[in-house]
Structures are given as structure tokens and as C-alpha cells.
Amino acid sequence: MSKKIIIVGGVAGGASAAARLRRLDEQAHIMMFERNDYISFANCGLPYYIGGSIKERSKLLVQTPEAMFRRFNLDIRTQSEVTSINPAAKTVTVRNLASGEQYEESYDQMILSPGAKPILPDVPGADLPSIVSLRNLADTDRIKAKVTEADTRSAVVIGGGFIGIEMAENLKELGLNVTLVQAGNQILSPFDPEMAGIMAKELEDNGVQLLFNEKVQSFAEAGPNQVEVHLASGRVLLTELVISAIGVTPDTAFLQGSGLAFGSRGHIVVNEHMQTNFPDIYAVGDAIEVTDFVSGKQTAIPLAGPANKQGRIAADNVAGLPTTFKGTQGTSIIKVVGLTGAATGSNEKTLRAKGIPYHVTYVHPNSHAGYYPGAVPMSLKLLFNEEGRILGAQAVGRDGVDKRIDTIATVMRLRGSVTDLTELELAYAPPFSSAKDPVNMAGYTAENILSGLTDVFVAEQLSSRDQEGTLLVDVRSEMEHNNGHIPGSMLIPVDELRSRLGELDRNKEIWVYCQVGLRGYTASRILRQNGFKVRNLTGGYKTYMLTLYKPDRNEKLQTPVESARFRAIATSKQEVAASAAPTEAVLQADATLDACGLCCPGPLIQVKQQMDTLKAEDVLQVTATDPGFYEDIKAWAGMTHNRVEKLTKLKDGTIEAYVRKGAATAGIPSEVNRQTPDNSTMIVFSGDLDKAIASFIIANGAASSGKKVTMFFTFWGLNVIRRPEKIEVSKSLVGRMFGMMMPRGSRKLGLSRMNMMGMGTKMIRGVMKSNNVSSLEELIETAIAQGVEVVACQMSMDLMGIKQEELIDGVKIAGVGYYLGQADQSGINLFI
């Protein structure tokens, strides 16, 4: 007698189980209940259909009920919702959504694949029609219709997970103004912040506004076809469409009271055979708990790949084949405009939360041989334990990311080690890879750490570095150092290191860094073999810069009216620009340079060498793929008196710059270089009230006359720009002592002369008020409003234990190199 098997739910898990079951058992009566019209559709492709990358809706349909019936002889019932199950009687209750009829159906065995449903914001107004989530084709059709309406010009996406990011990108490609609101401090939680930051910046560079650490407080109607999004910060966003993508929860409410075992978050508990606590009931997909492959603990990971595998395994066991599911690594990948991000295994946040010890290493290799055209850099992060077992990996880049993470995921699945990564023999030819593949390189650096050949530190440890017991050394070139360096570091290029060992204190631990970690490793080997205790920054300055990423955001709070006015102005400006903008003159290059595939400082070195061969006013066209080149070329041109005429990020990630050679660099005097620079800079070293007042009076006067003013606050001058209230931040003992001894903000400053226990301060403030002279605090506000650049010295902050959170709004953090760059463009330099 044939068995009767019921499958509840289709899509990835249910449809896979049904097809596998029929292949294994031709006689079984297989029934599938699906409450929607479609039993198998490409839900991962929904955002790309909305955005237009997928043109035909029919391509989203993997299988139709008719096709599944013809091929697999399945009893498929769409528009049929299972409302409850009775394991004791082996029956399910079904409601026909079209007719309203309710009936019972018996079963011998059952596979549950109900999936997950979107979490909706639990705030007032969340039920407004303009607020939608994306789960199925009906949602897709509703959103597609909305974004094609003529008056839909903007969208707000709530949530920075995979669906949120994909929707933000696709809506932007449709031409909408898109803002993404994220409750946490990063997007894409499977990635660690510094890796997620690369992708966040890509979104920003392509016009998506990111608001981090923001929570929705309520929604409200704002006239025809518009909705206000009220955030907890007080900010109000006005839009025509809100996409809610804050996460999913298992769709298991109909199973409550059935006797099934559930996990703490409502997921169905299953064993390795996908079997529930009832022997004849199996469960698969987003609604179940699974075993974490790394930690061995229970988790829930809603991904299509594992759901398909689970459907197959459940079918095997129903048919008598005892196959098992050995856990999930959570391997995932996402396209973010021109970038690819991929991850497998655990990230640092997860490892810390579960108390699992780990090591970390970063590499920043090219996608293939640098000398072959089209090579682009990627960032690869590897996590591993003391025994060399791989715990996780993350990668971000424009090409080749998928195959590197897939390779590492395969080694992980086979319980491989970092040594196995070094021994992999991978396909190599210049268009596809390098003789040492990025996967091999990650293994080599990890192996060096485990073997004791190098001791590394990560960028986050710089803030807690013992300033007295360590020395930070930049082993890059002078050009790289001048273009940007970690505050407080001294420069000794690695090629000069052996001859300059006498400049280093042998009683201190030497912390070295280079651009990506390789020269730092070489320097650490030189120093260690010369008797120094040394550590190298894994991933180098490039990784350090990744940790500093913060989204650009307009901090001004806007009322709904202001928001509407801002959008109307922006729209009208775009329309005017589109219709009336003059045609851009075509730049003619006198020479071209292809620096693609080179990592910093390679592109800058080649630019300098090429510029040395040109005449004054000649233009060099240069292309590069190193992401840092975009900022580097601007800084380099400013320091060397050349001029960047045009700078563009192309769609494929290539950076194109047109640089005009300055007359001064060619040894020929020019009118531009003979003129006295019109900017003003001042170093504010003092924390005395009278000197602070004088400095801001001068700054305001200079700014009001049209000069660009930069004020560089260092040592005691930092007290002038401290917040008056106490800010709770983590500090060392020395930092806390300085904090107690120093005045907190401008209102606590004393006079340099005749302070008289504070009486002098009160007298001078009183005289200023009676003579209608602005107070210091008003002068500071006016200066910032006029565009005066207020800069705090990072090195002084580190020495005195002052954190950025303790400074007033509008202060920029930089080093002496930045100040010198500004001073180089100034006709007036003051020291106060």
C-alpha cells in the first residue's frame, strides 16, 4: 500500500523535498499545500526584478503547479493554508482561501516547510499602505507597481540586511532618492564592521544615504501618497514608499499547541535527519533550528542553499535513506552596486559572544596577476584557532570574491586547516589568478602567526596601546606616509630599517605597519632577529582605514515641511541640471598611465615618475583600481602643486584621474605659484580663556573676509573644544587623571594673567557682555557656521586621554601632516 505524504509549504525546502521524494518513490501519494499561488519561485531574485535587472516576471517562476504535476505527479493545492496539525490523529486542518472551505486531511508522514515571515515595525502607523515588506510575488507586484508610478520619487528602506541592501541598490538604480535606516552601527551583520564598511561606502558613493544608529519611532500620513518616517533622534523623513526589511521570524504560529518542540525564538527543533520530536514529522528551511558548523550550537540561518539541502535530506529519510545534515556555515554572498561581499563561518562578533578563542589575519591581494589588465584589489579576512582550524572568512572586492570564499568554505566543510589553504593547488593563469592565490596568501599569513614567525596586532588595539612602553613605526615610503598615516607614528622605510636600528628604543615594543601587511612582516622579521620585541599590524594601513569608516550624514534635524522643501529643491535642481547643464569640455591628455592592478603606493609612484617626464601644463590621464587612489591622488596633487582636473569612479571600480602638471613642479615660475596663498591657519596650543577668545576673533574675522581658516588644536588647546558635560568613555588611568585635572570645555577656562581664583574670568566675561562682545561659546558657534575648520590633533588626544566623543560637534580629527598640508596653502600661520 502506498504512503500518503503531506508537504506544508513550497519554495526552496518544500519543492526540493517533493521532487526528491517522487524520484525515490514512484508509488507514494504526495500532497503539497501552499497558501499562495506559486509553489516554487526565485525569492532571491525578487529585488532584481523590481530594479529591472531581471526583465521578465515569468523567469522568477522556477516551477509552476502544472509543470510539477506533469513531471512528478504531485497533488498540489495552492491557495490552501494549513491552519493546524494533529500529530496524535495524524491529520492536518486545511482552509481553502478561495472558497473559505475548511477540511481535514490525513497523512502517514509529513514535511513542514512553512518558512519565515517578515518582522514588521511595532510602532504607530506601521499598517499604512505605503509601508510594505518583500516576501513573495504578491509583495513584488505591489512594490513594482508603486515604483513605476510617476509621483514615486523617493524610498526609505528600514533595515540593512541582505534584502534591505538589495532593495536599496535596486531602487536607486530605478532613479529614486533612497535612504536606508539601520538601527545598529553597520549593515550586513554576517560581516564584521570594517568589512561591512567597504560595502556601506559603495552604497554612499552611489547615492544611497545611510543613517546608522537610528530607530523608527512612528509613521504618519503626510498628504496624498506620502508618509512621514519619524526617527527616535527627532529626524523626520518624507517619502512615497517605505520598505520594511528588519528581519524575519519563523512562520510557525499555526503549529503552536501541536506538541512540536520549539527553540527559544519559535523555530522548530529537529535532529540531524530533519526529524522533529514526532517520528513521522520532518521540518526544513527557515522555520527550523540548525547546528552551527563552527560552534556546534543551535542557531537559525534563513538561507536558500541550506533549505534546498534540508528538503532533500528530509525526503531521503522519509523514503528510508538515513542521510544527515551536518550543520550550516552560513555561507552567503551579496552584490552591492559594483562590489561583491561574501562570508562563511563565524565572524568576530559571534566568536566573542560564544567565548571561542581565535586569531585574525587580513590580506589585500589582487583578483588576478597585477600585470594582466583588469586586476582589482580585494580585502580578505580569515579567522582561525590555535590549532589552525578555520573558523570563518569574509571577503569584499569587485572580482574573484566568490571563488575565494567558496574555496575556503570547502576547506572548512572538510575540517581543513590554514595549512591546507597554503597547500591548495589552484588553477592559475594571469587572467584568472596569481601564482600565489589570495587563498594561499591568507593561509601563509595565518601559518606565520601560528608558527610564531610574527606577532600581530589589529587596528582596534591602537586605541589601548601603551604609549610609554611601545613605539609605532611606519615602514612605508615617505610619499605614502605624507599622504596619510596613523597618528603618533614615526617613519622609517623598511629599506632603511637595518641602517637606522639605532633610532629605536630597545626597551620598548615596536609596533610596525605598512600598507597591507607584507612590508610590515618583513620589518618585523628584521627587528626580531636584531633583538627587538615587535608586532605587525595585520592588513596594514588599509585595514586601519577601514575601521575608521563612518557614513556621511546630514545631522540637521528636519521637520516634515523642511524635508519636503529640501526634496522639492533637490528635484528641481536635478531637473535644471539635466536640461540646462553645459556640456563638459573634453580633456585632452598629453600622456596616459595604466596603474590598474597596483596597490598603494604603486599608483602614486608611477604617477610621479610619469609627471617628471612632462612639461608644465601637460595633462596626464591615469587609471587605477586601488580604491585608496581616489583620495591619494587629490592629496598628492595638493602637496606637489599639481592639479587634479577631473576625478571619476567608473562603474567597474576603476578610478580615472586627469592631472595637470603645475608650473612650479617643472621649475618654471607661474602666476599661480607666485601668488601668496589666501588661506589662514593657526595652531591653538594654549587653553587660556583670553588666548582662546583672541584666536576665535581672528578666525571669524578671516572667515568673514572670505579666507579659508583652519584651526589646529593641540595639547592644552584641546580643552577649548571639549564638551562641558561629562561623557562616559573608556580611558586608561593616565587619561582619567588628565580628565580630572584639565578644564572641561570653554566655560571652565582660566585667564593667562590675573585669573585671581576665577574672579578674573568672571570679570572678563562680564566686560565682554556689557560691551556687546560675543562670548567665547558664541564665537566658536559663529566660526563653525562660517566654515572655519576646527581640527583636533589626534596625537595630542592620545597622549592626554581625550576621546572624540568628548569634543564638541563639528570637530575634525587629524594629524600634523594634515595641518602642514593646510599650512602649505596658507599665507598666514599663527601659533597661539
Side-chain angles (χ1 to χ4, degrees):
M1 183 177 176
S2 63
K3 293 188 296 186
K4 183 177 180 182
I5 303 163
I6 284 180
I7 299 174
V8 181
V11 197
S16 296
R20 176 68 170 172
L21 266 174
R22 177 55 75 216
R23 294 188 186 103
L24 296 175
D25 189 345
E26 180 64 21
Q27 305 305 318
H29 180 196
I30 304 171
M31 300 181 70
M32 178 186 289
F33 294 101
E34 171 57 53
R35 63 185 169 192
N36 296 303
D37 293 321
Y38 306 96
I39 60 167
S40 184
F41 61 91
N43 50 0
C44 295
L46 301 183
Y48 300 101
Y49 169 66
I50 293 171
S53 296
I54 298 172
K55 303 296 183 186
E56 298 174 28
R57 183 180 183 275
S58 60
K59 291 187 175 179
L60 296 172
L61 302 178
V62 180
Q63 282 282 9
T64 64
E66 296 77 18
M68 284 285 279
F69 171 74
R70 286 194 301 269
R71 178 160 299 180
F72 297 110
N73 189 27
L74 304 176
D75 183 355
I76 298 173
R77 303 187 185 185
T78 57
Q79 289 287 305
S80 297
E81 181 179 17
V82 174
T83 58
S84 65
I85 69 171
N86 186 340
K90 285 197 170 184
T91 61
V92 299
T93 302
V94 184
R95 182 169 65 243
N96 185 313
L97 299 178
S99 66
E101 174 194 1
Q102 187 163 297
Y103 61 94
E104 287 191 345
E105 198 72 55
S106 64
Y107 66 86
D108 293 308
Q109 291 169 299
M110 179 165 57
I111 299 175
L112 296 170
S113 180
K117 59 184 179 181
I119 299 172
L120 297 177
D122 186 17
V123 298
D127 57 348
L128 292 173
S130 294
I131 302 165
V132 295
S133 56
L134 180 62
R135 183 190 186 194
N136 51 40
L137 280 168
D139 297 333
T140 304
D141 293 338
R142 188 160 55 251
I143 297 171
K144 184 78 170 177
K146 180 71 173 177
V147 298
T148 55
E149 292 175 1
D151 58 352
T152 301
R153 295 177 293 176
S154 67
V156 172
V157 178
I158 313 294
F162 285 87
I163 294 296
I165 298 303
E166 289 169 352
M167 283 304 304
E169 175 186 341
N170 280 280
L171 292 173
K172 187 64 187 177
E173 288 188 358
L174 285 173
L176 301 186
N177 294 321
V178 179
T179 300
L180 188 144
V181 179
Q182 170 67 359
N185 62 357
Q186 69 165 86
I187 58 172
L188 299 170
S189 61
F191 296 83
D192 286 313
E194 74 282 7
M195 304 297 285
I198 307 173
M199 292 177 279
K201 189 174 188 304
E202 177 78 357
L203 285 173
E204 282 195 304
D205 289 346
N206 285 274
V208 176
Q209 184 183 24
L210 302 181
L211 301 180
F212 286 170
N213 299 309
E214 286 276 21
K215 291 186 177 180
V216 175
Q217 201 167 46
S218 65
F219 301 100
E221 286 185 313
N225 201 35
Q226 290 186 324
V227 61
E228 293 174 1
V229 184
H230 293 257
L231 304 181
S233 65
R235 188 174 186 138
V236 178
L237 306 174
L238 185 65
T239 186
E240 291 80 35
L241 174 65
V242 176
I243 304 291
S244 176
I246 59 177
V248 296
T249 187
D251 196 358
T252 55
F254 73 101
L255 299 171
Q256 301 301 318
S258 65
L260 282 173
F262 293 95
S264 59
R265 293 187 294 163
H267 296 84
I268 305 168
V269 175
V270 296
N271 62 19
E272 61 183 357
H273 300 288
M274 316 314 301
Q275 192 175 42
T276 70
N277 56 313
F278 291 101
D280 292 324
I281 301 178
Y282 297 78
V284 301
D286 297 353
I288 69 168
E289 276 192 352
V290 293
T291 301
D292 185 300
F293 187 79
V294 175
S295 69
K297 298 179 181 179
Q298 294 303 105
T299 186
I301 301 178
L303 292 172
N308 274 284
K309 295 179 182 68
Q310 293 156 12
R312 180 185 176 92
I313 291 168
D316 283 353
N317 283 276
V318 167
L321 298 177
T323 56
T324 59
F325 184 67
K326 297 177 176 62
T328 181
Q329 299 161 236
T331 306
S332 56
I333 192 166
I334 186 170
K335 171 185 175 293
V336 183
V337 192
L339 287 177
T340 302
T344 189
S346 295
N347 56 29
E348 286 197 72
K349 299 187 293 289
T350 302
L351 294 173
R352 289 189 193 122
K354 294 180 177 177
I356 300 175
Y358 65 93
H359 294 283
V360 60
T361 186
Y362 298 87
V363 292
H364 301 283
N366 281 324
S367 56
H368 59 247
Y371 56 81
Y372 187 87
V376 288
M378 72 175 69
S379 294
L380 176 59
K381 178 178 185 176
L382 186 69
L383 299 162
F384 53 99
N385 66 13
E386 194 65 35
E387 289 73 42
R389 181 191 168 200
I390 302 167
L391 304 177
Q394 301 160 46
V396 181
R398 296 190 179 274
D399 184 41
V401 165
D402 51 346
K403 68 178 182 180
R404 271 65 190 222
I405 287 297
D406 283 345
T407 301
I408 295 173
T410 303
V411 175
M412 279 187 68
R413 177 58 59 167
L414 298 175
R415 301 288 181 183
S417 68
V418 297
T419 298
D420 293 314
L421 296 183
T422 70
E423 296 175 352
L424 288 177
E425 185 176 333
L426 302 172
Y428 161 61
F432 306 106
S433 184
S434 302
K436 293 179 182 177
D437 189 86
V439 170
N440 299 136
M441 293 301 299
Y444 292 140
T445 59
E447 204 172 47
N448 286 339
I449 293 170
L450 293 178
S451 65
L453 286 175
T454 186
D455 188 9
V456 300
F457 67 97
V458 295
E460 289 82 358
Q461 292 175 293
L462 285 164
S463 60
S464 59
R465 178 174 67 93
D466 178 7
Q467 303 280 344
E468 297 297 321
T470 61
L471 186 64
L472 187 60
V473 180
D474 183 351
V475 298
R476 301 174 300 162
S477 67
E478 183 177 4
M479 179 190 298
E480 291 171 277
H481 184 82
N482 291 339
N483 244 35
H485 56 268
I486 300 175
S489 60
M490 65 181 294
L491 173 66
I492 302 181
V494 64
D495 294 336
E496 302 175 17
L497 188 57
R498 291 183 181 88
S499 62
R500 296 176 62 180
L501 295 176
E503 299 177 29
L504 301 176
D505 188 343
R506 291 184 177 274
N507 295 318
K508 293 185 177 182
E509 184 176 72
I510 313 300
W511 287 26
V512 299
Y513 72 91
C514 65
Q515 189 66 19
V516 296
L518 183 58
R519 284 172 289 171
Y521 171 65
T522 301
S524 72
R525 295 301 301 153
I526 294 170
L527 292 169
R528 177 170 288 192
Q529 294 176 82
N530 278 277
F532 290 90
K533 188 176 181 182
V534 59
R535 302 175 73 185
N536 177 36
L537 175 60
T538 179
Y541 184 76
K542 187 170 184 176
T543 301
Y544 164 77
M545 291 301 293
L546 297 182
T547 65
L548 300 183
Y549 167 78
K550 289 184 180 179
D552 293 329
R553 55 178 292 183
N554 176 12
E555 292 292 344
K556 180 184 177 184
L557 301 181
Q558 296 177 340
T559 67
V561 173
E562 289 173 325
S563 298
R565 184 184 302 122
F566 173 80
R567 196 186 63 193
I569 292 172
T571 303
S572 64
K573 284 183 177 179
Q574 291 169 357
E575 290 170 352
V576 170
S579 60
T583 303
E584 185 177 333
V586 178
L587 279 168
Q588 296 294 327
D590 299 286
T592 60
L593 171 63
D594 182 0
C596 294
L598 297 178
C599 295
C600 182
L604 286 183
I605 291 172
Q606 292 213 356
V607 168
K608 181 182 184 306
Q609 292 172 347
Q610 188 74 44
M611 293 293 281
D612 287 344
T613 67
L614 302 181
K615 305 187 300 295
E617 301 301 325
D618 280 357
V619 173
L620 172 67
Q621 178 196 13
V622 55
T623 53
T625 49
D626 181 30
F629 183 72
Y630 190 85
E631 297 296 336
D632 285 350
I633 190 63
K634 292 188 288 186
W636 178 85
M639 288 190 299
T640 55
H641 304 290
N642 296 293
R643 186 166 69 250
V644 176
E645 297 284 3
K646 183 180 179 183
L647 186 59
T648 309
K649 288 184 179 179
L650 305 179
K651 279 289 185 183
D652 63 355
T654 302
I655 297 163
E656 181 182 62
Y658 287 82
V659 186
R660 188 178 299 277
K661 183 163 183 174
T665 59
I668 304 171
S670 71
E671 292 302 316
V672 172
N673 288 295
R674 279 204 303 264
Q675 292 176 354
T676 302
D678 202 31
N679 300 337
S680 298
T681 54
M682 63 177 75
I683 297 176
V684 183
F685 178 85
S686 172
D688 295 328
L689 175 63
D690 44 338
K691 295 175 183 176
I693 293 170
S695 65
F696 275 99
I697 289 174
I698 295 170
N700 276 298
S704 63
S705 64
K707 295 180 183 293
K708 184 187 180 229
V709 182
T710 298
M711 302 178 74
F712 189 72
F713 290 81
T714 183
F715 285 95
W716 312 115
L718 291 170
N719 295 312
V720 179
I721 54 174
R722 288 181 74 190
R723 293 180 182 271
E725 68 273 15
K726 185 176 181 180
I727 304 296
E728 294 298 330
V729 290
S730 176
K731 290 190 178 187
S732 65
L733 176 62
V734 174
R736 290 197 299 271
M737 291 175 62
F738 268 114
M740 289 186 291
M741 292 187 293
M742 295 187 302
R744 185 179 289 117
S746 59
R747 295 187 183 277
K748 300 290 185 180
L749 303 180
L751 291 175
S752 59
R753 304 289 177 92
M754 300 170 57
N755 192 46
M756 297 182 294
M757 303 294 290
M759 288 299 298
T761 300
K762 292 181 180 179
M763 290 170 60
I764 194 66
R765 284 186 177 272
V767 170
M768 291 172 67
K769 186 174 182 180
S770 64
N771 285 276
N772 205 26
V773 177
S774 298
S775 67
L776 174 57
E777 293 70 38
E778 291 169 334
L779 289 169
I780 294 173
E781 289 180 9
T782 303
I784 293 175
Q786 285 200 94
V788 172
E789 191 173 43
V790 178
V791 182
C793 173
Q794 178 71 70
M795 181 272 291
S796 299
M797 290 173 63
D798 292 340
L799 291 178
M800 303 183 77
I802 295 177
K803 303 292 185 179
Q804 183 173 359
E805 296 89 337
E806 297 180 87
L807 302 181
I808 62 175
D809 292 337
V811 175
K812 182 174 187 173
I813 311 299
V816 68
Y818 181 82
Y819 167 76
L820 292 174
Q822 298 300 307
D824 186 58
Q825 304 298 316
S826 299
I828 301 174
N829 294 290
L830 301 177
F831 185 92
I832 298 177

